């Protein structure tokens, strides 16, 4: 029985069907079951081989050329709309991320340039020594003092700058600054800490909306 | 790749050899270099076998012709990516087989039901219904036509994984190793599937065996 199973497997897998070994052929000649199996498989193969073979229609080549032309034209127009929706979504997302990165990089570069320009401006002021107080308000009258809280984050800039320029520059500045204070008993420079946008230097000496007066600061120099 | 380019030069339009004498690999190399005559020759050689193969898979002539044309379009558009690892016939049968199997799966999803089929008891899909024809037989040609039609229906009713293997083996006459290459299966799996397909066909065609 085991031999019959092996022989039937050989019969089924014979390629071509006639290429059976001598041992298998001798077994088939002696075994009724295997002979019946061989006949059955031979008939089945001939049945399958006898099915009518269909041929391509007469206009196969013409239609193929037309379809190929259409496909080639579509490819030349661009492959974008032939992509799957997920590929299109992925490409659009990648473009958006790239655009965001470019904008961020441009902003960062601009901020760096401004910082460098301000640093250079400070250095030029330090070399000339002619400085004045710059802040949201105009320069006070001689003899009066400028409240530091009102002056806000300021920098020392050349006196030749116009007021608008000074205001805008002072507002943008985020670096530490030095405020030139003039009081009854002399003058001094007060270094302000580095502040973020919106913060104020902590030079108030009394609560409420009253601005601190130079006398309240009690400068000691 | 360099060999293919050399082959293309041999059969180019201005070459000394005609496209009829070129083998499939040479034709494909020429197609890659833009030789339209080579493509026409390749289509002439394979349009009938591929159409017949797809038709045996789908049992739908119009759709089979469309898929056969799609096969050639893919051959043309991907000629530059072709690598001569297998014989060209294996390559083209693989493309046609993939297209046919995709179409069969698409039809299965959309519940294309043959007029000759009825739902199976286990819910796996339609089972071919082949009621016996009790009318008196007319003549031998009618008998022959009926037998061929029954065989075609029996093939179409086979499960998808058995159908491709049995059509390639017993209808198209490919060897086991080439079928394994076409279907990307091991040779043992191919033999097993063909054996199961024949057993199923034996039951369906018992009246003719």
């Amino acid at each position: 029985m085991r031999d019959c199973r092996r022989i039937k497997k050989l019969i089924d897998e014979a390629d071509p069907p006639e290429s059976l070994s001598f041992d298998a052929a001798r077994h088939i000649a002696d075994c009724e079951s295997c002979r019946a199996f061989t006949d059955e498989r031979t008939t089945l193969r001939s049945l399958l081989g006898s099915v009518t073979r269909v041929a391509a229609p007469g206009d196969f080549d013409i239609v193929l050329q037309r379809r190929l032309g259409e496909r080639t034209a579509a490819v030349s127009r661009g492959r974008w709309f032939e992509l799957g929706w997920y590929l299109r979504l992925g490409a659009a997302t990648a473009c958006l991320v790239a655009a965001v990165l470019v904008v961020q990089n441009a902003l960062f570069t601009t901020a760096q340039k401004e910082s460098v320009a301000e640093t250079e401006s400070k250095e030029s002021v330090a070399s000339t020594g002619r400085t004045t107080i710059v802040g949201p308000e105009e320069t006070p009258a001689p003899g009066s003092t400028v409240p530091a809280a009102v002056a806000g984050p300021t920098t020392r800039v050349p006196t030749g700058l116009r007021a608008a320029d000074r205001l805008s520059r002072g507002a943008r500045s985020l670096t530490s600054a030095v405020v030139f204070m003039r009081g009854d008993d002399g003058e001094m420079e007060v270094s302000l800490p580095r502040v973020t946008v919106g913060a104020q230097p902590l030079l108030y000496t009394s609560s409420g909306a009253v601005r601190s007066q130079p006398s309240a600061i009690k400068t000691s120099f | 790749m360099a060999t293919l380019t050399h082959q293309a030069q041999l059969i180019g339009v201005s070459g000394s050899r005609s496209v009829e004498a070129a083998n499939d690999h040479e034709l494909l190399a020429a197609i890659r270099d833009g030789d339209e005559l080579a493509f026409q020759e390749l289509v002439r050689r394979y349009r009938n076998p591929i159409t017949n193969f797809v038709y045996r898979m789908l049992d739908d002539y119009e759709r089979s012709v469309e898929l056969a044309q799609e096969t050639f379009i893919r051959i043309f558009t991907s000629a530059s990516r072709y690598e001569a690892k297998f014989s060209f016939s294996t390559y083209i049968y693989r493309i046609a087989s993939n297209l046919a199997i995709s179409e069969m799966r698409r039809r299965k999803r959309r519940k294309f039901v043959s007029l000759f089929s009825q739902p199976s008891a286990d819910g796996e899909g339609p089972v071919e219904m082949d009621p016996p024809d009790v009318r008196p037989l007319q003549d031998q040609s009618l008998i022959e036509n009926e037998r061929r039609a029954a065989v075609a229906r029996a093939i179409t009713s086979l499960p998808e994984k058995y159908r491709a293997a049995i059509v390639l083996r017993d209808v198209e006459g490919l060897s086991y190793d080439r079928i394994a290459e076409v279907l990307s299966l091991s040779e043992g799996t191919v033999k097993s599937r063909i054996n199961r397909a024949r057993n199923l066909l034996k039951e369906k065609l018992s009246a003719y065996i």
Side-chain angles (χ1 to χ4, degrees):
Chain A
M1 182 59 75
R2 182 178 295 174
D3 205 31
C4 283
R5 287 181 63 181
R6 186 179 65 83
I7 295 295
K8 284 179 180 176
K9 190 169 183 287
L10 286 176
I11 293 167
D12 204 41
E13 296 174 359
D15 186 16
E18 301 80 19
S19 65
L20 283 169
S21 65
F22 178 73
D23 288 345
R26 193 170 58 186
H27 176 93
I28 291 167
D30 296 339
C31 178
E32 183 66 29
S33 168
C34 289
R35 198 162 52 245
F37 183 78
T38 306
D39 293 343
E40 172 206 297
R41 282 297 196 246
T42 305
T43 308
L44 185 61
R45 282 176 173 174
S46 66
L47 265 178
L48 293 173
S50 70
V51 292
T52 310
R53 294 185 69 85
V54 299
D59 62 347
F60 185 91
D61 291 12
I62 297 169
V63 176
L64 174 61
Q65 289 294 337
R66 181 172 53 77
R67 287 183 62 186
L68 196 56
E70 290 171 357
R71 187 71 60 88
T72 310
V75 169
S76 65
R77 280 198 301 270
R79 297 173 183 270
W80 176 253
F81 291 104
E82 291 183 354
L83 296 174
W85 67 268
Y86 49 89
L87 289 176
R88 277 183 277 171
L89 179 65
T93 306
C95 288
L96 185 63
V97 168
V100 167
L101 288 176
V102 166
V103 168
Q104 277 189 336
N105 186 44
L107 289 174
F108 180 72
T109 307
T110 307
Q112 269 191 329
K113 283 179 181 175
E114 286 179 355
S115 176
V116 168
E118 284 177 7
T119 306
E120 288 173 353
S121 174
K122 280 182 189 175
E123 287 173 354
S124 66
V125 167
S127 64
T128 58
R130 292 187 64 207
T131 60
T132 187
I133 299 170
V134 177
E137 293 181 356
E138 283 299 319
T139 305
S144 66
T145 56
V146 176
V150 175
T154 59
T155 57
R156 300 169 71 181
V157 297
T159 52
L161 288 177
R162 291 187 297 119
D165 292 339
R166 286 179 290 174
L167 283 173
S168 62
R169 185 177 286 269
R172 284 200 307 270
S173 175
L174 298 178
T175 59
S176 59
V178 177
V179 179
F180 186 62
M181 305 288 291
R182 185 181 296 135
D184 293 335
D185 48 358
E187 298 174 345
M188 68 173 292
E189 285 185 350
V190 177
S191 295
L192 299 178
R194 182 186 296 271
V195 296
T196 58
V197 175
Q200 296 291 329
L202 301 175
L203 288 177
Y204 294 102
T205 55
S206 60
S207 62
V210 179
R211 292 176 178 175
S212 62
Q213 298 300 317
S215 58
I217 297 175
K218 298 295 183 186
T219 55
S220 59
F221 52 86
Chain B
M1 200 59 78
T3 308
L4 288 178
T5 307
H6 176 66
Q7 290 169 345
Q9 289 169 352
L10 286 177
I11 61 161
V13 176
S14 59
S16 57
R17 294 178 60 186
S18 65
V19 289
E20 288 84 3
N23 65 35
D24 295 342
H25 285 300
E26 291 169 344
L27 288 176
L28 204 65
I31 291 168
R32 199 186 57 210
D33 292 345
D35 190 341
E36 289 191 10
L37 286 176
F39 182 64
Q40 289 173 10
E41 172 63 17
L42 209 60
V43 171
R44 189 190 65 76
R45 288 184 190 180
Y46 284 97
R47 63 188 169 199
N48 288 338
I50 294 299
T51 303
N52 184 64
F53 167 65
V54 180
Y55 175 67
R56 287 298 158 215
M57 295 281 284
L58 301 179
D59 199 24
D60 179 345
Y61 184 71
E62 297 296 327
R63 189 66 183 139
S64 303
V65 171
E66 287 177 8
L67 290 184
Q69 288 169 343
E70 179 64 28
T71 302
F72 287 107
I73 288 171
R74 292 194 182 191
I75 293 281
F76 185 84
T77 54
S78 61
S80 59
R81 297 194 298 271
Y82 175 73
E83 294 178 11
K85 286 192 293 189
F86 308 117
S87 69
F88 176 75
S89 62
T90 300
Y91 177 61
I92 193 170
Y93 271 113
R94 175 182 284 189
I95 295 174
S97 169
N98 288 338
L99 286 171
I101 289 172
S102 297
E103 175 71 11
M104 285 156 59
R105 289 177 181 166
R106 189 182 66 83
R107 291 181 174 211
K108 196 174 181 180
R109 282 198 302 271
R110 294 190 180 185
K111 304 287 183 191
F112 278 67
V113 179
S114 166
L115 292 174
F116 294 99
S117 65
Q118 60 184 359
S120 64
D122 55 2
E124 284 233 342
V127 173
E128 191 69 13
M129 184 173 60
D130 193 10
D133 190 350
V134 294
R135 294 173 298 175
L137 296 173
Q138 299 295 317
D139 54 21
Q140 194 60 33
S141 66
L142 279 180
I143 297 171
E144 188 69 16
N145 288 341
E146 174 59 26
R147 186 173 59 84
R148 286 175 178 167
V151 173
R153 286 200 302 272
I155 292 172
T156 312
S157 70
L158 287 174
E160 156 198 321
K161 63 180 180 180
Y162 301 146
R163 203 185 310 176
I166 195 72
V167 169
L168 286 170
R169 178 73 192 99
D170 286 342
V171 178
E172 297 299 324
L174 268 64
S175 61
Y176 286 108
D177 56 339
R178 283 185 59 197
I179 296 170
E181 289 172 355
V182 168
L183 299 179
S184 300
L185 297 169
S186 70
E187 204 171 315
T189 305
V190 168
K191 287 177 178 176
S192 169
R193 287 189 179 184
I194 290 173
N195 178 262
R196 288 171 188 270
R198 284 175 180 156
N199 289 338
L200 287 171
L201 287 173
K202 185 186 77 174
E203 295 172 9
K204 294 173 186 291
L205 298 172
S206 56
Y208 301 97
I209 296 177

